[in-house]
Amino acid sequence: MGDDRRVQVLVVGAGLSGLTAALFLAQQGVSVLGISKHRGTSPHPKATGQTHRTVEVLRRAGVADEVLAGGAGLDGGLVIKVAESLRGRVFHTVVHEDDTWDTSLSPERSGMASQDHVEPVLLRRARELGAEVVFETELVSLAQDDDGVTARVRSSEGEYTVRADYVIGADGHRGVVRSFTGIGRQGPGELAHHVGVVFNADLTAHIVPDKLTLFYLRNPAFTGTFVGTNTARRNVFTIEYDPARESAADYPARRCTELLRIATDAPDLEPEILEITAWEMAAWLSDRFRAGRVFLVGDAAKVTPPTGGLGGNTAIGDGYDIAWKLAEVLKGEAGVGLLDSYEAERRPYAKLVVDGSYANYVQRFAPHLAGPDVPAEVDHLHLTLGYRCRSNAVLIDDTDTALMEDPANPSARPGFRAPHVMVTHNGTEVSTVDLFTTWTLITLNPSWRAATVPSLHTPTLTDPTDTLAKLYNIGLTGAALIRPDGVIAWHTTNPPTPTTNLSTTLHTLKSL
Ligand SMILES: Cc1cc2nc3c(=O)[nH]c(=O)nc-3n(C[C@H](O)[C@H](O)[C@H](O)COP(=O)(O)OP(=O)(O)OC[C@H]3O[C@@H](n4cnc5c(N)ncnc54)[C@H](O)[C@@H]3O)c2cc1C
């Protein structure tokens, strides 16, 4: 049987991870087909909130402002409360973050947009850049050989075959790509079953204006959550149920309304219920993120409890990471060994995210599970801006085992994110973050020009405040080699010697 379609990359799934991957592959000129079995992007608000790092990624796609606009009205930050009801007894205020506008660590602020706003933005931009994304098209089988992957897909027009160099499994929590590759997964597994109710009601008198207020609710009638969204009057309420005794069908609109009245302390509330869906809170980590030519991203690779707000953010992070690496390999600018760095970097990160979010879950939802086996909580900023990539695509001293650092005190060691510093480039003030569109050498020492190679972008920079020299720990002599994703790949405080050869360093990093 011949192949009906031929593409470089097939992306299975058009949620946050798949759309991000498709977008950044298309941006690099890679031919990409995205398929989704759903009718369109998510109508459900689901993951709300973008970290500074996520918004930096969106900035590279030219859609940061459009995404951030989706959170307008909630720019005052995030409040998380464990309480009896919206106006009842507060057991614990978990966080009161107000760093939305803090741009000292990034040229971008963090965002408050929800998934139903973000996905259409990513879809539109991916298509603009040349990605083909089709809905109501389901993957039915997958087989790979040494030269590529053959997928069988089904749409309303019938079944057809897609032959691709690589496949990205972005098909979510219950994805089939992982099953086709035989990759297993581990973790605490299913934690809780929830009925999610999306509804409209005017609750302005109950919630803090300008802030996203997330309530973990515990009272004699139910356990659940309540959160506002960036759509006026739109809110999401979830109720936990025990699948041994009940099912989601036991929660029709009438019962949900009764419980909502208890949650909001508004006995007369008449919510306009838009959707009632069942979903599971779970914690899973796939044993591998790659099987040959197939890569897992987002929820297909790991499922994290939402208690950390990182499911959506890491979906975007995974999609971006595999996209730039695949693009380099497919364009012949890097060797296939660069692809090994995807699992090496993203899986330990996913583990930290799942563990940290599980620790939050125990603290906020299930104190009875507390014990020595529960992982430690992780600082949010350290995790999102201070995480270290460790793989063959960074040159780290083996004795230096640190996995995270405080991004406010960056060390500039390889593997960490290159810090945001305002510098003067071509007479204009720019953030260093915007310089890393390709492999880039950051230095204030002109003698490095003789040691560099044409494929290495070496901008001429001035550093009027000495901040670059200090935060990049390069002084006026050294240099830092930064990857296209803004991660420090190699670093020295020394000037070049006559034998310094950055070509060899670059070849090693790119597995050429
Ligand atoms: C009710 C709910 C609330 C949530 N709240 C939060 C939150 O507050 N914070 C947070 O960070 N995260 C939250 N999450 C999790 C967050 O939504 C996910 O982490 C995120 O959607 C993962 O994105 P993804 O692209 O990996 O997968 P998904 O968004 O699940 O997308 C999967 C895609 O794969 C497609 N697909 C599946 N199977 C096939 C197939 N066989 N063939 C073709 N296509 C297929 C689907 O159509 C879809 O396009 C929530 C999730 C739910 C369900």
Side-chain angles (χ1 to χ4, degrees), residues 11-20 34-42 44-49 115 119 134-141 152-154 169-177 180 194-198 212 214 216 227 236 238 275 277-280 297-316 318:
V11 183
V12 183
L16 292 175
S17 61
L19 289 170
T20 304
I35 61 167
S36 165
K37 70 177 182 183
H38 291 154
R39 291 173 61 191
T41 52
S42 172
H44 194 291
K46 294 206 281 190
T48 296
Q115 202 161 330
E119 287 188 2
V134 290
F135 290 92
E136 297 185 276
T137 304
E138 186 174 5
L139 179 77
V140 288
S141 72
R152 199 76 191 142
V153 305
R154 186 190 302 130
D171 51 346
H173 184 178
R174 293 199 179 82
V176 294
V177 173
F180 284 134
H194 282 244
V195 174
V197 185
V198 183
L212 187 71
L214 169 60
Y216 293 101
V227 67
V236 181
T238 76
E275 187 186 85
T277 45
W279 68 283
E280 290 137 37
V297 294
D299 278 17
K302 57 95 192 53
V303 182
T304 183
T307 37
L310 290 174
N313 283 293
T314 49
I316 289 176
D318 287 350

Side-chain angles (χ1 to χ4, degrees), residues 2-10 31-35 130-134 149-153 160-165:
D3 302 327
D4 302 312
R5 289 292 312 272
R6 177 80 183 83
V7 288
Q8 288 178 295
V9 181
L10 171 68
S31 72
V32 53
L33 171 65
I35 61 167
E132 185 184 351
V133 182
V134 290
V149 191
T150 301
R152 199 76 191 142
V153 305
Y160 55 96
T161 300
V162 181
R163 178 77 177 164
D165 295 324

